[in-house]
């Protein structure tokens, strides 16, 4: 893994998004970091939300080998919503196993995930890195953006075909630290108030 700048990640992420021809675009490289983040949050609020939610985020460019890839979790979210509904265990591999055993139209109707796109990507994969998110500590790596591609790669992997995958990994601050320190501070204040009120 090598450390990379957030603005570089945001620009490339937007360039990948720009490959959708139905969208109006402009030169991505002209955007400042704040403008690029605003643009990304406007276009992909669910996928990019972790960038401000877990700020500050440290970014790394990495290559996912089979062992790393097999541990990837689908995008974070409620257990019964879209991607999480498609995968019984929340993993990319679990979603691929379910697609391999099921009917794409039925799975799309049940989960809301465009399963046909996953099947198409299995044959012809679009360019671009996956964007992964995690937090400091023992936290799994989630696919923030590129879930269709990741599951298509897992489908390929079922037949023994796997190529290392380029990815950006965003490591955010652990959200538990601040609330925990606030709770401890509150408990100490309550204890002190109780001692002095007696």
């Amino acid at each position: 893994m090598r450390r990379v700048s957030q603005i570089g990640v945001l620009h490339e992420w937007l360039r990948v998004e720009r490959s959708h021809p139905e969208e109006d675009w402009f030169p991505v490289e002209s955007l400042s970091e704040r403008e690029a983040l605003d643009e990304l949050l406007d276009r992909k609020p669910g996928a990019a939300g972790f960038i401000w939610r877990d700020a500050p985020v440290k970014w790394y460019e990495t290559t996912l080998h089979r062992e790393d890839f097999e541990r990837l979790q689908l995008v974070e979210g409620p257990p019964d919503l879209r991607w999480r509904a498609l995968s019984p265990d929340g993993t990319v591999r679990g979603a691929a196993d379910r697609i391999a055993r099921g009917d794409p139209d039925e799975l799309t109707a049940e989960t809301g995930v465009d399963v046909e796109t996953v099947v198409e990507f299995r044959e012809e994969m679009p360019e671009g890195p996956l964007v992964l998110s995690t937090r400091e500590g023992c936290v799994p790596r989630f696919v923030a953006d590129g879930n269709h591609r990741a599951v298509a790669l897992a489908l390929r992997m079922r037949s023994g075909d796997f190529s290392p995958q380029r990815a950006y990994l965003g490591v955010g601050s652990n959200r538990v630290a601040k609330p925990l320190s606030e709770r401890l501070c509150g408990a100490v204040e309550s204890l002190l108030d109780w001692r002095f009120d007696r």
Side-chain angles (χ1 to χ4, degrees):
M1 282 198 303
R2 71 178 182 94
R3 186 82 185 267
V4 292
S5 68
Q6 179 161 289
I7 191 168
V9 174
L10 298 179
H11 282 172
E12 184 162 6
W13 193 348
L14 284 169
R15 281 193 296 272
V16 170
E17 289 303 310
R18 189 170 57 189
S19 65
H20 302 298
E22 68 278 0
E23 299 285 342
D24 290 330
W25 285 94
F26 44 83
V28 169
E29 292 74 16
S30 66
L31 298 177
S32 69
E33 183 173 324
R34 183 181 179 111
E35 290 168 335
L37 181 55
D38 285 346
E39 188 67 32
L40 200 52
L41 286 169
D42 186 48
R43 291 177 186 271
K44 310 249 341 181
F50 78 95
I51 298 172
W52 63 265
R53 199 172 48 242
D54 296 341
V57 175
K58 296 175 189 162
W59 287 98
Y60 301 88
E61 185 175 10
T62 188
T63 300
L64 298 173
H65 297 281
R66 181 181 288 268
E67 313 81 57
D68 307 314
F69 189 80
E70 287 180 337
R71 292 192 296 266
L72 284 183
Q73 298 278 316
L74 290 161
V75 64
E76 285 187 274
D80 56 347
L81 187 65
R82 291 179 45 85
W83 287 106
R84 306 302 274 183
L86 181 61
S87 177
D89 63 357
T91 65
V92 168
R93 191 171 185 180
D97 290 345
R98 189 148 179 233
I99 290 171
R101 292 190 310 266
D103 175 81
D105 293 333
E106 289 177 10
L107 289 171
T108 296
E110 179 187 334
T111 65
V113 172
D114 184 356
V115 174
E116 194 58 46
T117 296
V118 173
V119 174
E120 289 171 10
F121 284 179
R122 178 183 172 184
E123 302 305 319
E124 190 171 340
M125 187 70 62
E127 294 292 320
L130 298 175
V131 179
L132 312 177
S133 68
T134 190
R135 289 182 297 280
E136 295 169 351
C138 296
V139 180
R141 292 179 177 183
F142 297 93
V143 180
D145 191 58
N147 286 277
H148 288 88
R149 285 178 286 140
V151 176
L153 284 167
L155 279 171
R156 284 183 180 179
M157 195 167 64
R158 287 173 54 88
S159 62
D161 180 19
F162 181 81
S163 300
Q165 176 67 38
R166 185 169 157 254
Y168 286 122
L169 174 64
V171 181
S173 299
N174 195 317
R175 297 184 293 238
V176 176
K178 186 173 181 182
L180 178 61
S181 65
E182 289 172 352
R183 287 195 301 270
L184 288 173
C185 179
V188 169
E189 284 180 348
S190 295
L191 182 62
L192 291 175
D193 288 345
W194 178 78
R195 283 185 57 205
F196 290 118
D197 285 343
R198 296 188 73 193

